[in-house]
Amino acid sequence: MVQPRRYALVAYVKNSVGQFVEQLRRDLHPSLPHMAAHLTVLPPRCLVGTEDEARASLEKICSEVEPFEVSLDEVETFIPVTPTVFIRVGCEARHLRDLHDRLNCRALATPEDWPYMPHVTIAKLGAEQDAQQAYLMARKRWAKFAGSRCIPVRELTFVREEAQNHWVDLAEVPLGGGLVSKSIR
């Protein structure tokens, strides 16, 4: 049976925080495929409409939202729900929650499995014990991180899952601007 394609909306973290997270992920869970550091704005979902309808909705809504900045707070975990280690977005998380709520409509509408909480995932591990160890190491490393903990959110990227843990970029969606399509290879 063919599984329906899933889509998500992310803001890539392309500064020193993103580099830190990507290196930490490789150190903590080297068997995971490399994934660019990102803030998830819309978690993975099946579309209610077509890809074109989703893009049109994204372009319209994002054109009405001004770019903003968020800062990262502490390393946390979703244990016992999932063995996931992440860095929570600080007090500016309301900007991402508002954006999530505005975008979770039309072709992209779906009930969420869990309440939306803005964060940057470091690693989703296989077992709770592994996640606890990763959490402790990540906290120590994050405490020593001397760079800026701010993330500018200027554009979002509409992505599609092609295989498990393999996502392709479909379109960049600037906040306050238009849509830039990616060619799929």
Side-chain angles (χ1 to χ4, degrees):
M1 182 174 157
V2 176
Q3 294 292 325
R5 285 192 159 158
R6 296 186 319 153
Y7 296 80
L9 191 63
V10 301
Y12 287 119
V13 182
K14 299 177 182 177
N15 58 13
S16 61
V17 173
Q19 294 166 359
F20 171 86
V21 168
E22 290 171 13
Q23 183 59 53
L24 184 56
R25 183 181 298 136
R26 283 190 291 272
D27 293 347
L28 293 175
H29 202 317
S31 63
L32 272 181
H34 175 74
M35 294 174 65
H38 63 275
L39 292 160
T40 300
V41 179
L42 289 178
R45 65 203 48 235
C46 295
L47 297 179
V48 177
T50 66
E51 247 179 59
D52 288 339
E53 290 169 335
R55 287 178 189 218
S57 180
L58 290 171
E59 183 176 31
K60 179 180 183 335
I61 294 168
C62 288
S63 72
E64 300 166 352
V65 175
E66 290 301 314
F68 57 92
E69 201 170 81
V70 298
S71 61
L72 295 181
D73 200 5
E74 298 299 322
V75 172
E76 297 186 23
T77 179
F78 286 127
I79 293 171
V81 177
T82 68
T84 302
V85 178
F86 65 92
I87 306 173
R88 178 190 290 269
V89 172
C91 62
E92 302 91 354
R94 65 178 159 50
H95 295 299
L96 286 165
R97 280 191 206 94
D98 291 346
L99 187 55
H100 167 273
D101 293 349
R102 288 182 71 180
L103 291 165
N104 190 19
C105 68
R106 300 185 190 105
L108 293 160
T110 192
E112 302 291 0
D113 292 332
W114 296 288
Y116 175 69
M117 185 176 75
H119 66 278
V120 175
T121 299
I122 295 171
K124 184 172 184 177
L125 294 112
E128 188 173 313
Q129 183 177 0
D130 295 336
Q132 287 287 4
Q133 291 172 350
Y135 165 72
L136 294 173
M137 179 185 280
R139 278 187 55 173
K140 288 178 187 171
R141 299 262 295 270
W142 183 240
K144 294 178 183 176
F145 179 72
S148 170
R149 295 176 182 219
C150 292
I151 300 170
V153 181
R154 309 275 179 257
E155 72 181 13
L156 306 179
T157 304
F158 185 44
V159 298
R160 180 177 63 215
E161 187 176 36
E162 292 295 311
Q164 185 173 2
N165 293 321
H166 178 73
W167 294 81
V168 296
D169 294 352
L170 298 178
E172 293 171 355
V173 188
L175 296 182
L179 186 73
V180 181
S181 292
K182 291 273 191 188
S183 60
I184 299 176
R185 296 180 184 116

